Amino acid sequence: MPVSRLPSGARVVAVDLAMKAFGSEVEMAAAGKDEVRRAEDDFASALGGKFAPIYSLRHSTAPKGDLALLGKCHALLRTRMKAPFCPTSGHRLSRTEDTDEVRMHCDSPICKSRACQGVYPSVAPIVIMTVTKGDQILLGRKRMFPPGMYSCLAGFLESGETIEDAVRREVKEETAVDVGRVEYIASQP
């Protein structure tokens, strides 16, 4: 159960409710997506609310710190679901409850003797870019978009690639346009 602390010192706990419904990662993995969604909906109804996919919050006006914490909890829950066992010893991984560390660790004697680093949540670094020429902006459009909807271009960084190289590659792949100078603006969690 991932735990973090707010600046006030209050503890924040994230619980994978679907896993609670099925009792184990194995049982949840064996269940179909519809069955998992029904379990989540049942929990939400019992709490008097409803769940929304984490990605639906990407346009949220919530404070950045809240969204960063939500992202951290999501990463930890996914790590726990995808990597419940230590890749070195095969023992179940756990998380220290009284720390903000994101690593899942193994307490097996094998790992302690080898200074095993444990398992960290995987990250998927992406770039989103605004390509300009004078006062014009290059936008993308997917077939699935409703009429009149366009978006900035975006994509994943590949291993060993710089942000600038990723911007150039993604723009070239998506639009066949060559990009000149790339200017870094900001990052977000």
Side-chain angles (χ1 to χ4, degrees), residues 79 101-104 117-122:
T79 299
E101 187 176 27
V102 295
R103 178 178 63 96
M104 301 292 286
Q117 297 298 310
V119 175
Y120 289 84
S122 61

Coordinates of all heavy atoms in Angstrom, one line a residue, residues 79 101-104 117-122:
T79 N 3.6 -0.7 -10.3 CA 4.8 -1.5 -10.1 C 4.5 -2.7 -9.2 O 4.9 -3.8 -9.5 CB 5.9 -0.6 -9.4 OG1 6.2 0.5 -10.2 CG2 7.1 -1.4 -9.1
E101 N 10.2 7.0 -0.2 CA 10.9 6.3 -1.3 C 10.0 5.5 -2.2 O 9.0 4.9 -1.8 CB 11.9 5.4 -0.7 CG 12.9 4.8 -1.7 CD 14.0 3.9 -1.0 OE1 13.7 3.4 0.0 OE2 15.0 3.8 -1.7
V102 N 10.3 5.5 -3.5 CA 9.4 4.8 -4.4 C 9.9 3.4 -4.7 O 9.2 2.7 -5.5 CB 9.3 5.6 -5.8 CG1 8.6 6.9 -5.5 CG2 10.7 5.8 -6.4
R103 N 11.0 2.9 -4.2 CA 11.5 1.6 -4.5 C 10.7 0.5 -3.7 O 10.4 0.7 -2.6 CB 13.0 1.6 -4.0 CG 13.6 0.2 -4.3 CD 15.1 0.3 -3.9 NE 15.3 0.6 -2.5 CZ 15.5 -0.4 -1.5 NH1 15.5 -1.6 -1.9 NH2 15.6 0.0 -0.3
M104 N 10.5 -0.6 -4.4 CA 10.0 -1.8 -3.8 C 11.2 -2.6 -3.4 O 12.1 -2.7 -4.3 CB 9.1 -2.6 -4.7 CG 7.9 -1.8 -5.3 SD 6.7 -1.4 -4.0 CE 5.9 -3.0 -3.8
Q117 N 19.2 -3.8 -5.4 CA 18.7 -2.5 -5.5 C 17.1 -2.4 -5.4 O 16.6 -1.4 -5.3 CB 19.2 -1.8 -6.7 CG 20.6 -1.6 -6.8 CD 21.1 -0.7 -5.6 OE1 20.6 0.4 -5.4 NE2 22.1 -1.2 -4.9
G118 N 16.5 -3.6 -5.5 CA 15.0 -3.6 -5.5 C 14.5 -3.2 -6.9 O 15.2 -3.3 -7.9
V119 N 13.2 -2.8 -6.9 CA 12.5 -2.5 -8.2 C 12.0 -1.1 -8.0 O 11.3 -0.8 -7.1 CB 11.4 -3.5 -8.4 CG1 10.6 -3.1 -9.7 CG2 12.0 -4.9 -8.6
Y120 N 12.2 -0.3 -9.0 CA 11.7 1.1 -9.1 C 10.6 1.1 -10.1 O 10.6 0.4 -11.1 CB 12.8 2.1 -9.5 CG 13.8 2.3 -8.4 CD1 14.9 1.5 -8.2 CD2 13.6 3.4 -7.5 CE1 15.8 1.7 -7.2 CE2 14.6 3.6 -6.5 CZ 15.6 2.8 -6.4 OH 16.6 3.0 -5.4
P121 N 9.6 2.0 -9.9 CA 8.5 2.1 -11.0 C 9.2 2.5 -12.3 O 10.1 3.3 -12.4 CB 7.7 3.3 -10.5 CG 7.9 3.3 -9.0 CD 9.3 2.9 -8.8
S122 N 8.6 1.9 -13.4 CA 9.1 2.3 -14.7 C 8.6 3.7 -15.0 O 7.5 4.1 -14.6 CB 8.7 1.3 -15.7 OG 7.3 1.2 -15.8

